[in-house]
Amino acid sequence: MEISEAIKRAKENDQKAFNYLLDLFWDDVYGFQLKRIQNENDAEDITIQTFSKAFDKIETFDDDFKFKTWLITISKNIHIDLLRKEKNSIAQVISKNDGDVFQVLDESPSPEDKLITEQHLAKLLRDIKKLKPHYQEVINLRYFQELSYKEISKELDEPINNVKVKLLRAKKLLAEIIRKNR
């Protein structure tokens, strides 16, 4: 499959095309972030978010540009947004005794996490049933059967990076469904 064909098929919501693009460009985006932030976990998280956002917005991709450049731009913007959020979420607490400054990171759950955990189980299960079957499956494996990414990867016979992106997309879609049904 060529890149242009994969992009065309991805715009038609072809899961195999998404997997092909993910496999083809994962190392480029991950390597870019790893050089930038020099932290493997954060680089992987941003890479997952990059592909999730790119696949959600694939119909906006302009064929006049290179797909890799588009992905790197998305990745860079996600990193910048995270830095802004981090900067805004750090509260400075000044000790009255000696004037030392401490930084306390706000580790409150994301809006999606809050919405999902606030739901009653029966209602949540009804909302999960509104997702496409492959998203239902990955949510079930992760949150109800409590499997690790590696175990889910084996169960679905998919690369671990695909599992992570699919789970992130499933959570976003589920949060949207819950918001609409409030």
Side-chain angles (χ1 to χ4, degrees), residues 41-72:
N41 290 332
D42 291 346
E44 187 172 273
D45 287 346
I46 292 171
T47 303
I48 291 167
Q49 289 177 44
T50 299
F51 280 98
S52 177
K53 189 170 194 168
F55 292 161
D56 285 345
K57 306 283 185 192
I58 190 105
E59 72 280 350
T60 66
F61 174 70
D62 184 346
D63 294 326
D64 292 339
F65 300 98
K66 289 197 179 294
F67 192 71
K68 178 179 167 182
T69 306
W70 186 64
L71 286 172
I72 296 293

Side-chain angles (χ1 to χ4, degrees), residues 1 7 14 16 19 38 44 54 56 67 70 74 81 88 93 98-99 109 125 133 142 148 152 155 157-159 172:
M1 186 179 333
I7 293 167
D14 180 334
K16 286 182 181 170
N19 292 347
Q38 299 178 358
E44 187 172 273
D56 285 345
F67 192 71
W70 186 64
I74 291 171
D81 288 347
N88 292 336
V93 180
D98 53 13
L125 290 171
R142 182 70 175 154
S148 68
I152 295 170
E155 177 83 22
D157 194 27
E158 288 187 27
K172 282 184 178 180

Side-chain angles (χ1 to χ4, degrees), residues 27-176:
D27 289 342
D28 295 320
V29 177
Y30 177 74
F32 170 78
Q33 280 301 334
L34 193 56
K35 274 186 195 168
R36 261 177 93 99
I37 58 181
Q38 299 178 358
N39 177 311
E40 290 178 9
N41 290 332
D42 291 346
E44 187 172 273
D45 287 346
I46 292 171
T47 303
I48 291 167
Q49 289 177 44
T50 299
F51 280 98
S52 177
K53 189 170 194 168
F55 292 161
D56 285 345
K57 306 283 185 192
I58 190 105
E59 72 280 350
T60 66
F61 174 70
D62 184 346
D63 294 326
D64 292 339
F65 300 98
K66 289 197 179 294
F67 192 71
K68 178 179 167 182
T69 306
W70 186 64
L71 286 172
I72 296 293
T73 302
I74 291 171
S75 181
K76 185 170 72 174
N77 290 338
I78 287 172
H79 181 233
I80 290 167
D81 288 347
L82 288 172
L83 289 175
R84 282 188 192 129
K85 281 182 190 172
E86 190 175 290
K87 185 177 175 186
N88 292 336
S89 70
I90 293 178
Q92 292 196 352
V93 180
I94 301 173
S95 168
K96 292 178 182 167
N97 296 342
D98 53 13
D100 287 340
V101 176
F102 298 93
Q103 291 188 331
V104 180
L105 187 59
D106 177 13
E107 291 192 15
S108 57
S110 72
E112 288 92 356
D113 291 335
K114 283 182 184 174
L115 277 171
I116 291 169
T117 55
E118 285 172 3
Q119 300 302 306
H120 295 287
L121 186 58
K123 189 168 188 279
L124 182 61
L125 290 171
R126 277 197 307 272
D127 290 338
I128 290 171
K129 292 225 180 288
K130 294 176 184 173
L131 293 171
K132 290 182 178 177
H134 60 277
Y135 291 137
Q136 288 179 31
E137 184 177 30
V138 77
I139 291 267
N140 176 35
L141 292 171
R142 182 70 175 154
Y143 296 105
F144 293 100
Q145 294 184 31
E146 298 181 349
L147 298 182
S148 68
Y149 290 125
K150 191 176 185 179
E151 292 167 328
I152 295 170
S153 173
K154 276 185 187 171
E155 177 83 22
L156 299 178
D157 194 27
E158 288 187 27
I160 198 164
N161 295 332
N162 290 21
V163 169
K164 290 176 180 178
V165 171
K166 194 180 282 187
L167 187 61
L168 184 64
R169 292 181 80 200
K171 283 174 33 179
K172 282 184 178 180
L173 292 169
L174 183 57
E176 285 175 28

